[in-house]
Amino acid sequence: MDKNDRIYGLGETLGTLNKRGKKYRFYSTDDPMHTPEKEALYGTHPFMIVDGKNTFGLFIDFPAELIFDIGYENINTLKITVTGKNFDLYIFENENKNSIIEEFLKLTGTPFLPPKWAFGFQQCRWSYPDKESVNNIADNFRKREIPCDAIYLDIDYMENYKVFTVDNNKFPDFPQFARDIMKRGFKLVPIIDPGVKIEDGYNVCDEGVKNGYFCKDKDGKDYVTAVWPGLTYFPDFLNSTVRNWWGNLYKDFNDIGIRAFWNDMNEPAIFYTPDSLKEVSDILKQNSGNTDLGIEAFTAKDKMLTMANNRNDYKSFYQKDESGNIINHDDVHNLYGFNMARGTAEGLMNLDPEKRYFLLSRSSYIGQQRFSYIWMGDNFSWWDHMQVHFRMLQSLNMCGFFYTGPDIGGFGGNSSPELVIRWMQLGAFTPLYRNHSAIGTRNQEPWVYDEESNDILKNIIRLRYAFMPYAYSEFKKSTENLSPFIKPLGFVFETDRAKDAEDQYMYGDSLMVAPVYTPNARGRYVHLPEVKWLKWTASKFEDRNMTVYDSGDYFIDANLNEIPLFIKENSLIVLENPKQYTGEKETENLYITGLVTEESEFTFYDDDGESTGYKNGEYYKINIKISKTETEFDVNVEIDDTEEYPCTIKNIFFEIYDETGKKYTMETKID
Amino acid sequence: MDKNDRIYGLGETLGTLNKRGKKYRFYSTDDPMHTPEKEALYGTHPFMIVDGKNTFGLFIDFPAELIFDIGYENINTLKITVTGKNFDLYIFENENKNSIIEEFLKLTGTPFLPPKWAFGFQQCRWSYPDKESVNNIADNFRKREIPCDAIYLDIDYMENYKVFTVDNNKFPDFPQFARDIMKRGFKLVPIIDPGVKIEDGYNVCDEGVKNGYFCKDKDGKDYVTAVWPGLTYFPDFLNSTVRNWWGNLYKDFNDIGIRAFWNDMNEPAIFYTPDSLKEVSDILKQNSGNTDLGIEAFTAKDKMLTMANNRNDYKSFYQKDESGNIINHDDVHNLYGFNMARGTAEGLMNLDPEKRYFLLSRSSYIGQQRFSYIWMGDNFSWWDHMQVHFRMLQSLNMCGFFYTGPDIGGFGGNSSPELVIRWMQLGAFTPLYRNHSAIGTRNQEPWVYDEESNDILKNIIRLRYAFMPYAYSEFKKSTENLSPFIKPLGFVFETDRAKDAEDQYMYGDSLMVAPVYTPNARGRYVHLPEVKWLKWTASKFEDRNMTVYDSGDYFIDANLNEIPLFIKENSLIVLENPKQYTGEKETENLYITGLVTEESEFTFYDDDGESTGYKNGEYYKINIKISKTETEFDVNVEIDDTEEYPCTIKNIFFEIYDETGKKYTMETKID
């Protein structure tokens, strides 16, 4: 590498946005401890861009282990190890980074538009284990008027962790319960794991065994591992017959109206196998009575620790491809989550082609943006993981995963009120806005702290909802243009300083977000490249005090309740009054703001938010153009709708700033 | 707490410099994984300063478990839990933070002056296991002309981890080997662990058993645990008889001339006990044959993981105080390392009162600054741990541990060349400058990378040696004035912004260090409070390009080979030509630089660097005063020496800047 080359991409990996200085391994792995030295996480995204002396893109399509050493062993050497011969290497020759991404997405597929509620707030916990606790969460949101669109069901909703079952003791009359809660504006999002509990009389297990749908051991018997339910079989998703079967298992949920899911544990995670458990027992048995093990005590400990997700186990089972060829799982390991998502997506589309679905997957592979979104796995309530959040957000967007996000507030470990506040601010400007935490950790729902913290959190979530028209419009545009919704500053401004400002990013094309991600901070440094910027240290929708900044470096004050936002010169953002949930009521008023020194345009997009009708023209757009004149501004509003899908907006309120910081308010009525 | 109160202190703890937002537990613990949520590390330093509405200091003298919740559970609540009634609470009522520290040190004791070589560079590795490898390290330093003053011996130098033994196979004729290497200017620093291997015929074990020097179980039998050597006994350091015995065990080393040691594992660390090992075996045995454990498999895993350093074990053994009272270890747990250090220090002083000793301890307690220095324990090759480094450095200095530092480059995990370079830059401005790494990790000696990286590292170490006169003089002054050698910016400037600039610190009274601690950085933001500053982006002693800055906020460029340093207006730093090791030759030339707008003074201090003669006046000082006149500078140099200990300096070269950035060079000859 040239000394000044920057390397971008690699999707769901730890480390900096410029990937230099670290080694990355793609072998999808359920590792719940994302410490900085870790090389492999849940997904496999071997697409990168070299930006510098010779700018180009590179994608290696290979489903087994891949290693990228990017200036780790030797500071200026990039070394890629492909552990097999049967791979496709794509080079994207283009000087423009955004064009490289466009070409890459033309090759690997278009990210799909989620239902609009996916841009609302989503509440998760391992677990809300029964009807009462879910209803209690729902009550709290509505009673406190904190907007929320989704409540998740983690593994405890199932009967003994049997996938596609619901525990009737915890959720008596589940269909009625689900319909009731959905009527209140909450989507219910059950978790789905691939591991099928081995149990006679359990239909999923029985069908899979009978039809030979499960992965096999070397002798052709159904391969046994252990995950949440104890001993389980893994469906062989490599095969379309199995995918079709699996996709149809979502029917019961679909019939109730549940079309939102999260596929977990699909690397696939393995806790242990009967063989590996026996191995540890044997070591201890062997040493039984011998207490003077010295350092040898570590051997048993290490064995115990490496029992989960062990490579040897992945090498011990087999899958069957479309043509019936037997393939060692290890050779196609990184496709397991991909094909599970594919089966799920095809099933859901088939079950109700008229309605969008929502699907998160933990494991993923390049191209999966066509079927599912992903979340970033089991992070921790560490401040450092806010950096992982915004870096991974940018890197995943480059790889086609526009809609993504982490567990806000941190999954593992306990969080402090301040951490959750700062993280919820960052999350408000992340497509997937989901607060999630693990069993045994401190609760982090937005009302569990002191009154002041709770107020701040409520206002942040309301701010998120105020941005709904902007986020939904810009996201739609990004899928149309094959241009990431989240962009690094260095993909918009080609200066060294912009490229190195990894802790600031574009959320849509108009807004730069500069989150505060350190404890006890009263502000942060911000780099403003090239143009003028309209600063909003935002605490709530109703307070929209804006200041014009020239390009440069600034320490920006930001109290605990504030996040620094910057609207780019000659671009606009569109807000609305926050709703309680996305489908609560129609939007009638839009609020448009920005700093206009010459001319700026914004296209507002809207549709019903739930159906697939937008694919057939059931949507409308409003093109807004603002031009600076000698003394004030010209505003031009054009409605582009149809009789079948007419515009619902009645008023547009403008709050436009000139370069002196003077605010002009205008209003447009739409009949 | 008031919303704007800042909390300082707590010594060796994770988290920010302002300790708000986290929970801290003092129960000295060997935890090798310093992830951000950890509450307890190796040391116990319950001294804190509240800085804000009501400024005061607080120290709780209590040797058992203490918990400080500083705005973690509730954002504005400070809650201290003392787990017993028998404690002393000291409140320091003073508006001035530095005066609070002075009072605290008057109470708890004065940090002692290390030998001068302790300000040189020190190389460590787990392990350089034999004569050849140590000699090879020494050869590399001298051959490559990279300065170095010490090479450490980690646990593998011992015979079967038996403390106070040397393995004769690995180190044949150890005394001659040691004398040879010391002749070349390297101190040899062996590790000493408290755990005594249980072995008949091993003198330390035999003497301890015979005289009843070991901790006892509830039945009065010698308590058995397991550490490196396998089954061991723990000396009962609470008792002066045991401390005297232990201190005298250093005699063989002392006789060879080895007076530098590091006391490890003295929390005391426990790998397991015969009982706890049996417990895990039993669980697995019980489940033997049952492979369908499901989540229950985690139980055995958890048991295995919590076997080490288990509180139940600490509650299971007993110590005897000076009056012969039996005390449960748990009640005095936090004093174990303290008393081991005390025994060691008294032994070494007794063995040769004329000569200084060097002693690092891993575990520590308030007041231990009188006996030993400490290092920061088993960190990791994570960029985040550079932040732990400079924050802990400031916090430990407040608690009296002026001379301290972490494992530069990181102990656990593999490091990249860039990480080691940036960390070595930070380490160059840290009293203890020791590069250390664990077995099985990538080597990080300063010649293992590519040529460019190696050159950078060599220049950084040489820069460290150039600062020797400054560091030694300022450190001496800090012990005289009971004023920390390392000070947070907020202890010198009372602005909010200075207080929040936790990643900049004063190294002595003249120099502010602003290390680069993020990967792929080409610079960093720096806050310059109140006065003017002379900026030196330092890469080597020979390049001394300086620029004058007004107070304010700046993005300071810093290439990989550079660390931003700032000399405070009207203060001076003193440099010398880098030596190969501290005692190589006498210093004849001093280089003095600074930005003088009115008047500045510096007192250069020197002594023989090794003896305790400085306590009896065997030292000299040079008082340097520079005043700005209309057109240039008045330089005043006063030698304060004696015939018994005369000044060795022959020339002083001045490079003084005025506020326009103009450099004036002057020279003073001393006869």
Side-chain angles (χ1 to χ4, degrees):
Chain A
M1 293 178 288
D2 184 72
K3 215 169 162 175
N4 293 314
D5 283 347
R6 290 175 179 83
I7 313 292
Y8 294 105
L10 302 190
E12 191 184 60
T13 48
L14 296 170
T16 41
L17 182 67
N18 175 358
K19 306 310 292 181
R20 286 183 80 137
K22 194 173 151 57
K23 196 152 79 174
Y24 310 89
R25 208 162 60 86
F26 288 116
Y27 192 82
S28 297
T29 301
D30 170 27
D31 188 328
M33 203 66 177
H34 305 176
T35 43
E37 84 283 9
K38 293 296 171 66
E39 294 170 1
L41 290 177
Y42 313 88
T44 294
H45 310 128
F47 167 62
M48 54 174 264
I49 296 172
V50 177
D51 179 24
K53 211 169 174 181
N54 296 302
T55 297
F56 65 96
L58 180 153
F59 165 48
I60 300 173
D61 192 8
F62 181 68
E65 189 186 29
L66 280 165
I67 300 164
F68 285 69
D69 175 336
I70 307 186
Y72 169 74
E73 194 70 38
N74 293 300
I75 205 160
N76 289 320
T77 304
L78 164 65
K79 184 177 158 192
I80 303 175
T81 308
V82 187
T83 63
K85 287 178 181 171
N86 194 7
F87 65 92
D88 292 323
L89 170 65
Y90 300 85
I91 302 284
F92 302 87
E93 292 186 329
N94 198 312
E95 278 299 303
N96 183 302
K97 298 195 287 292
N98 295 302
S99 304
I100 290 170
I101 292 175
E102 195 186 331
E103 291 301 316
F104 168 71
L105 292 178
K106 277 183 190 156
L107 175 74
T108 61
T110 308
F112 65 115
L113 185 69
K116 198 199 277 184
W117 66 261
F119 292 92
F121 177 65
Q122 309 179 32
Q123 184 65 53
C124 192
R125 171 87 180 167
W126 173 23
S127 287
Y128 304 126
D130 53 27
K131 186 177 158 169
E132 287 67 36
S133 59
V134 175
N135 280 332
N136 175 46
I137 294 297
D139 292 347
N140 264 292
F141 276 106
R142 294 296 178 251
K143 182 180 75 194
R144 295 165 192 275
E145 300 187 335
I146 302 170
C148 181
D149 261 286
I151 300 174
Y152 281 65
L153 298 179
D154 209 320
I155 51 173
D156 299 296
Y157 80 88
M158 292 180 267
E159 186 193 312
N160 295 324
Y161 308 115
K162 285 187 288 187
V163 66
F164 298 112
T165 69
V166 173
D167 189 317
N168 277 320
N169 293 316
K170 296 173 185 165
F171 291 95
D173 195 357
F174 180 77
Q176 191 54 48
F177 154 77
R179 282 190 199 103
D180 286 347
I181 204 137
M182 289 190 287
K183 239 178 254 164
R184 299 171 70 190
F186 295 100
K187 307 299 170 188
L188 212 52
V189 191
I191 198 169
I192 301 289
D193 290 345
V196 175
K197 184 174 174 62
I198 302 179
E199 187 180 286
D200 260 358
Y202 164 40
N203 66 317
V204 183
C205 179
D206 290 348
E207 286 173 23
V209 169
K210 196 181 72 190
N211 297 304
Y213 289 161
F214 295 128
C215 297
K216 306 287 186 239
D217 68 13
K218 64 181 189 320
D219 303 320
K221 289 188 196 138
D222 292 335
Y223 187 67
V224 180
T225 69
V227 205
W228 292 116
L231 298 185
T232 56
Y233 295 134
F234 284 145
D236 183 0
F237 295 117
L238 205 56
N239 198 284
S240 63
T241 317
V242 178
R243 289 199 297 274
N244 292 340
W245 165 66
W246 187 263
N248 208 46
L249 291 170
Y250 288 80
K251 185 170 185 310
D252 288 352
F253 284 125
N254 180 70
D255 287 350
I256 310 171
I258 296 178
R259 288 178 60 81
F261 301 92
W262 47 319
N263 286 349
D264 199 16
M265 305 294 281
N266 51 355
E267 294 72 28
I270 293 176
F271 290 168
Y272 63 88
T273 62
D275 285 352
S276 66
L277 189 67
K278 189 170 175 304
E279 218 179 315
V280 181
S281 299
D282 285 353
I283 295 179
L284 277 246
K285 223 182 291 174
Q286 204 176 326
N287 285 305
S288 165
N290 174 14
T291 54
D292 194 1
L293 292 178
I295 311 181
E296 301 305 312
F298 289 121
T299 312
K301 201 177 190 170
D302 285 350
K303 263 278 186 255
M304 185 77 104
L305 285 173
T306 54
M307 210 163 59
N309 309 314
N310 195 299
R311 186 78 180 265
N312 289 333
D313 294 331
Y314 293 123
K315 287 181 175 167
S316 305
F317 67 95
Y318 297 84
Q319 300 191 246
K320 207 185 278 179
D321 72 8
E322 215 53 30
S323 327
N325 299 310
I326 305 292
I327 297 170
N328 187 280
H329 169 79
D330 189 59
D331 293 332
V332 290
H333 174 75
N334 295 335
L335 292 177
Y336 196 82
F338 174 93
N339 279 314
M340 181 185 178
R342 191 174 168 185
T344 304
E346 288 169 352
L348 291 169
M349 286 190 280
N350 193 45
L351 286 164
D352 189 349
E354 303 297 313
K355 216 168 159 210
R356 292 178 227 178
Y357 66 92
F358 177 87
L359 177 60
L360 293 178
S361 175
R362 196 170 70 183
S363 188
S364 60
Y365 188 79
I366 291 292
Q368 192 166 330
Q369 69 269 17
R370 306 195 302 272
F371 311 123
S372 87
Y373 317 111
I374 61 177
W375 84 100
M376 298 171 183
D378 296 345
N379 64 358
F380 227 88
S381 294
W382 293 337
W383 286 90
D384 299 336
H385 276 184
M386 285 181 68
Q387 294 191 57
V388 172
H389 169 165
F390 58 68
R391 288 164 170 170
M392 209 180 265
L393 183 61
Q394 297 173 66
S395 300
L396 278 169
N397 261 261
M398 290 176 210
C399 294
F401 294 91
F402 295 179
Y403 185 92
T404 185
D407 293 347
I408 309 284
F411 177 69
N414 293 313
S415 52
S416 69
E418 190 197 6
L419 173 72
V420 172
I421 288 170
R422 289 301 194 189
W423 210 332
M424 285 286 286
Q425 289 169 346
L426 169 59
F429 298 93
T430 301
L432 170 62
Y433 190 24
R434 185 178 79 142
N435 180 319
H436 185 27
S437 55
I439 199 163
T441 68
R442 194 174 177 190
N443 270 74
Q444 50 194 42
E445 290 83 6
W447 56 79
V448 298
Y449 307 113
D450 58 292
E451 203 175 328
E452 192 190 339
S453 300
N454 296 343
D455 277 355
I456 294 174
L457 288 169
K458 177 176 171 175
N459 283 323
I460 296 167
I461 297 174
R462 293 183 70 256
L463 185 68
R464 162 78 173 201
Y465 277 78
F467 270 92
M468 183 66 79
Y470 174 76
Y472 195 58
S473 300
E474 287 289 283
F475 195 91
K476 180 63 166 57
K477 187 179 78 181
S478 73
T479 62
E480 288 168 7
N481 295 354
L482 297 180
S483 171
F485 177 64
I486 303 286
K487 281 194 198 73
L489 219 52
F491 279 53
V492 181
F493 302 96
E494 285 290 330
T495 62
D496 276 335
R497 287 295 315 288
K499 288 178 184 181
D500 287 345
E502 301 191 347
D503 58 357
Q504 307 170 207
Y505 62 87
M506 299 302 297
Y507 181 76
D509 286 334
S510 305
L511 189 74
M512 183 176 74
V513 182
V516 175
Y517 55 92
T518 53
N520 300 316
R522 289 159 175 79
R524 55 159 289 174
Y525 287 105
V526 174
H527 176 67
L528 301 181
E530 296 195 17
V531 299
K532 290 187 199 305
W533 297 82
L534 188 62
K535 187 203 71 166
W536 181 14
T537 40
S539 63
K540 59 196 291 191
F541 165 66
E542 289 78 7
D543 286 348
R544 296 195 293 280
N545 269 315
M546 314 249 177
T547 317
V548 173
Y549 277 73
D550 281 326
S551 64
D553 292 292
Y554 300 94
F555 186 89
I556 301 293
D557 292 326
N559 291 325
L560 183 57
N561 61 335
E562 294 170 329
I563 176 169
L565 304 174
F566 296 85
I567 307 166
K568 205 172 69 179
E569 184 178 0
N570 292 318
S571 61
L572 302 171
I573 63 167
V574 183
L575 309 171
E576 68 175 319
N577 278 301
K579 299 175 186 170
Q580 287 302 296
Y581 55 95
T582 305
E584 190 195 12
K585 50 190 171 195
E586 296 233 304
T587 302
E588 300 190 342
N589 298 329
L590 294 179
Y591 300 81
I592 295 199
T593 188
L595 158 66
V596 180
T597 59
E598 293 180 13
E599 191 175 88
S600 63
E601 283 189 64
F602 188 87
T603 300
F604 170 74
Y605 168 88
D606 205 11
D607 59 26
D608 65 21
E610 299 220 60
S611 81
T612 54
Y614 72 94
K615 293 179 181 175
N616 311 314
E618 290 170 26
Y619 63 84
Y620 69 91
K621 288 182 175 181
I622 306 178
N623 296 306
I624 298 144
K625 194 185 273 185
I626 303 178
S627 312
K628 180 96 181 73
T629 64
E630 293 267 306
T631 53
E632 45 175 37
F633 297 94
D634 273 349
V635 171
N636 187 286
V637 172
E638 269 176 41
I639 318 282
D640 174 11
D641 63 355
T642 59
E643 259 176 54
E644 294 79 40
Y645 205 82
C647 169
T648 68
I649 303 298
K650 297 203 162 59
N651 300 291
I652 306 181
F653 300 95
F654 295 89
E655 298 170 2
I656 304 300
Y657 293 78
D658 70 11
E659 58 190 278
T660 71
K662 192 178 164 194
K663 182 164 91 171
Y664 297 75
T665 57
M666 294 155 275
E667 197 179 326
T668 298
K669 280 200 185 303
I670 297 172
D671 333 288
Chain B
M1 295 178 288
D2 183 72
K3 214 168 162 177
N4 293 313
D5 283 347
R6 290 175 179 82
I7 312 293
Y8 295 106
L10 302 190
E12 192 183 60
T13 48
L14 296 170
T16 40
L17 182 67
N18 175 359
K19 306 310 291 180
R20 286 184 81 138
K22 194 173 148 58
K23 197 153 77 173
Y24 311 89
R25 210 163 59 87
F26 288 116
Y27 191 83
S28 297
T29 301
D30 170 26
D31 188 327
M33 203 67 177
H34 306 175
T35 43
E37 84 285 8
K38 293 296 171 67
E39 294 171 0
L41 290 176
Y42 313 89
T44 295
H45 310 127
F47 167 61
M48 55 174 263
I49 297 173
V50 176
D51 179 23
K53 210 167 174 182
N54 296 301
T55 296
F56 65 96
L58 180 153
F59 165 48
I60 300 172
D61 193 8
F62 181 68
E65 188 186 30
L66 280 165
I67 298 163
F68 285 69
D69 175 335
I70 307 187
Y72 168 74
E73 194 70 37
N74 293 300
I75 205 160
N76 289 319
T77 304
L78 163 65
K79 185 176 158 193
I80 303 174
T81 308
V82 186
T83 63
K85 287 179 181 171
N86 193 8
F87 65 92
D88 292 324
L89 169 66
Y90 299 86
I91 303 284
F92 302 88
E93 292 186 330
N94 198 312
E95 278 298 305
N96 183 303
K97 298 194 287 291
N98 296 300
S99 305
I100 290 170
I101 292 175
E102 193 185 333
E103 290 302 315
F104 168 71
L105 291 178
K106 277 183 190 155
L107 176 74
T108 60
T110 308
F112 66 114
L113 185 69
K116 200 200 276 185
W117 65 261
F119 292 93
F121 176 65
Q122 309 179 34
Q123 184 64 54
C124 191
R125 171 86 181 168
W126 173 25
S127 286
Y128 303 127
D130 53 28
K131 185 176 160 170
E132 287 67 36
S133 59
V134 175
N135 280 332
N136 175 45
I137 294 297
D139 292 347
N140 264 291
F141 276 106
R142 294 297 178 251
K143 181 179 77 192
R144 295 165 192 274
E145 300 187 333
I146 302 170
C148 181
D149 261 286
I151 300 174
Y152 281 65
L153 298 178
D154 209 320
I155 50 174
D156 299 296
Y157 80 88
M158 293 181 266
E159 185 192 314
N160 296 324
Y161 308 115
K162 286 187 290 186
V163 68
F164 298 112
T165 70
V166 173
D167 188 317
N168 278 320
N169 292 316
K170 297 174 185 166
F171 291 95
D173 196 359
F174 181 77
Q176 191 56 46
F177 154 78
R179 282 191 200 101
D180 287 347
I181 203 134
M182 288 190 287
K183 240 178 253 161
R184 300 170 71 189
F186 294 101
K187 307 298 170 190
L188 212 52
V189 192
I191 199 168
I192 301 288
D193 290 345
V196 175
K197 185 173 172 64
I198 302 179
E199 185 180 287
D200 258 0
Y202 164 40
N203 67 319
V204 183
C205 179
D206 290 348
E207 287 173 25
V209 169
K210 196 181 70 187
N211 298 304
Y213 288 162
F214 296 128
C215 295
K216 306 286 185 238
D217 68 13
K218 63 182 191 319
D219 303 320
K221 290 188 194 137
D222 292 335
Y223 186 68
V224 181
T225 69
V227 205
W228 293 117
L231 297 185
T232 56
Y233 295 135
F234 284 145
D236 182 0
F237 296 118
L238 204 57
N239 197 285
S240 63
T241 317
V242 178
R243 289 198 298 273
N244 291 339
W245 165 67
W246 187 263
N248 209 46
L249 292 170
Y250 289 79
K251 186 172 184 309
D252 288 352
F253 284 124
N254 181 70
D255 287 351
I256 311 171
I258 296 178
R259 288 178 60 78
F261 301 92
W262 47 319
N263 287 349
D264 198 15
M265 306 294 282
N266 51 357
E267 294 72 28
I270 294 176
F271 289 168
Y272 64 88
T273 62
D275 284 352
S276 66
L277 189 67
K278 190 169 173 303
E279 219 179 316
V280 181
S281 299
D282 285 352
I283 294 180
L284 277 246
K285 224 183 289 175
Q286 205 177 325
N287 284 305
S288 165
N290 175 13
T291 54
D292 194 2
L293 291 176
I295 311 182
E296 301 305 312
F298 289 121
T299 313
K301 201 174 189 173
D302 286 350
K303 263 279 186 257
M304 186 76 105
L305 285 172
T306 55
M307 208 162 60
N309 310 313
N310 194 300
R311 185 79 180 265
N312 288 333
D313 294 331
Y314 293 124
K315 287 181 175 167
S316 304
F317 68 95
Y318 296 85
Q319 302 192 244
K320 208 184 279 181
D321 73 7
E322 214 53 30
S323 326
N325 300 310
I326 305 292
I327 296 169
N328 187 280
H329 169 78
D330 189 60
D331 293 332
V332 289
H333 174 75
N334 295 335
L335 292 177
Y336 196 82
F338 174 93
N339 280 313
M340 180 184 179
R342 191 173 168 185
T344 304
E346 287 169 351
L348 291 168
M349 286 190 279
N350 193 44
L351 287 164
D352 189 350
E354 304 296 315
K355 217 171 159 209
R356 292 178 227 177
Y357 65 93
F358 177 87
L359 178 60
L360 293 178
S361 175
R362 194 169 71 183
S363 187
S364 59
Y365 187 80
I366 291 291
Q368 191 166 329
Q369 68 270 19
R370 309 195 303 272
F371 311 123
S372 86
Y373 316 111
I374 61 176
W375 83 100
M376 297 171 184
D378 296 345
N379 64 359
F380 226 88
S381 293
W382 293 337
W383 286 90
D384 299 334
H385 276 184
M386 285 181 68
Q387 294 191 57
V388 172
H389 169 166
F390 58 67
R391 288 164 170 168
M392 209 181 264
L393 182 61
Q394 298 173 66
S395 300
L396 277 168
N397 261 261
M398 290 176 210
C399 293
F401 294 91
F402 295 177
Y403 185 92
T404 185
D407 293 348
I408 309 283
F411 178 69
N414 293 313
S415 52
S416 69
E418 189 197 7
L419 174 71
V420 172
I421 287 171
R422 289 302 194 189
W423 211 331
M424 285 287 286
Q425 289 169 347
L426 169 59
F429 299 92
T430 300
L432 169 61
Y433 190 24
R434 185 178 80 142
N435 180 319
H436 186 27
S437 55
I439 199 164
T441 68
R442 194 173 178 189
N443 271 73
Q444 51 194 43
E445 291 83 7
W447 56 79
V448 298
Y449 307 113
D450 58 293
E451 204 176 326
E452 191 190 339
S453 299
N454 296 343
D455 276 357
I456 294 174
L457 288 169
K458 177 176 172 174
N459 282 323
I460 297 168
I461 297 173
R462 292 182 71 255
L463 185 68
R464 163 77 173 203
Y465 277 78
F467 270 92
M468 184 67 80
Y470 174 76
Y472 196 57
S473 300
E474 286 290 282
F475 195 92
K476 181 62 165 61
K477 188 179 77 179
S478 73
T479 62
E480 287 168 6
N481 296 353
L482 296 180
S483 171
F485 176 63
I486 303 286
K487 280 194 200 74
L489 219 51
F491 280 53
V492 181
F493 301 95
E494 285 290 331
T495 62
D496 275 335
R497 288 295 315 287
K499 288 178 183 180
D500 287 344
E502 300 191 348
D503 59 356
Q504 307 170 209
Y505 62 87
M506 299 301 299
Y507 182 76
D509 286 334
S510 305
L511 189 74
M512 183 178 73
V513 181
V516 175
Y517 55 92
T518 52
N520 300 315
R522 291 158 172 81
R524 55 159 288 174
Y525 287 105
V526 174
H527 177 66
L528 300 181
E530 293 192 20
V531 299
K532 290 186 198 304
W533 297 82
L534 188 62
K535 186 204 70 167
W536 181 17
T537 41
S539 63
K540 59 197 290 193
F541 166 66
E542 289 79 5
D543 286 346
R544 294 195 293 281
N545 269 316
M546 313 249 180
T547 316
V548 174
Y549 277 73
D550 281 327
S551 64
D553 291 293
Y554 299 93
F555 186 88
I556 301 293
D557 293 327
N559 291 324
L560 183 56
N561 61 335
E562 294 171 328
I563 176 170
L565 304 174
F566 296 84
I567 307 166
K568 204 173 68 179
E569 184 178 0
N570 291 318
S571 61
L572 302 171
I573 62 166
V574 183
L575 308 171
E576 69 175 317
N577 278 300
K579 299 175 185 170
Q580 287 301 298
Y581 55 96
T582 305
E584 189 194 13
K585 51 192 172 194
E586 296 232 306
T587 302
E588 299 190 341
N589 298 331
L590 294 179
Y591 300 82
I592 295 198
T593 188
L595 158 67
V596 181
T597 58
E598 292 180 13
E599 191 174 88
S600 64
E601 283 190 64
F602 188 87
T603 301
F604 170 74
Y605 167 89
D606 206 11
D607 59 26
D608 66 21
E610 299 222 60
S611 81
T612 54
Y614 72 94
K615 294 179 181 174
N616 311 314
E618 292 170 25
Y619 63 83
Y620 70 90
K621 289 182 175 181
I622 306 179
N623 296 306
I624 297 144
K625 194 187 273 187
I626 302 178
S627 313
K628 181 94 181 72
T629 65
E630 292 268 307
T631 54
E632 45 174 34
F633 297 94
D634 273 349
V635 171
N636 188 285
V637 172
E638 268 177 39
I639 318 282
D640 175 12
D641 62 356
T642 60
E643 261 177 51
E644 296 79 39
Y645 205 83
C647 170
T648 67
I649 303 298
K650 297 202 163 59
N651 300 292
I652 305 181
F653 299 94
F654 294 89
E655 298 169 3
I656 304 300
Y657 293 78
D658 70 11
E659 59 189 275
T660 71
K662 192 177 165 195
K663 182 164 91 171
Y664 298 75
T665 56
M666 294 155 276
E667 196 179 327
T668 298
K669 280 199 185 304
I670 297 171
D671 331 291

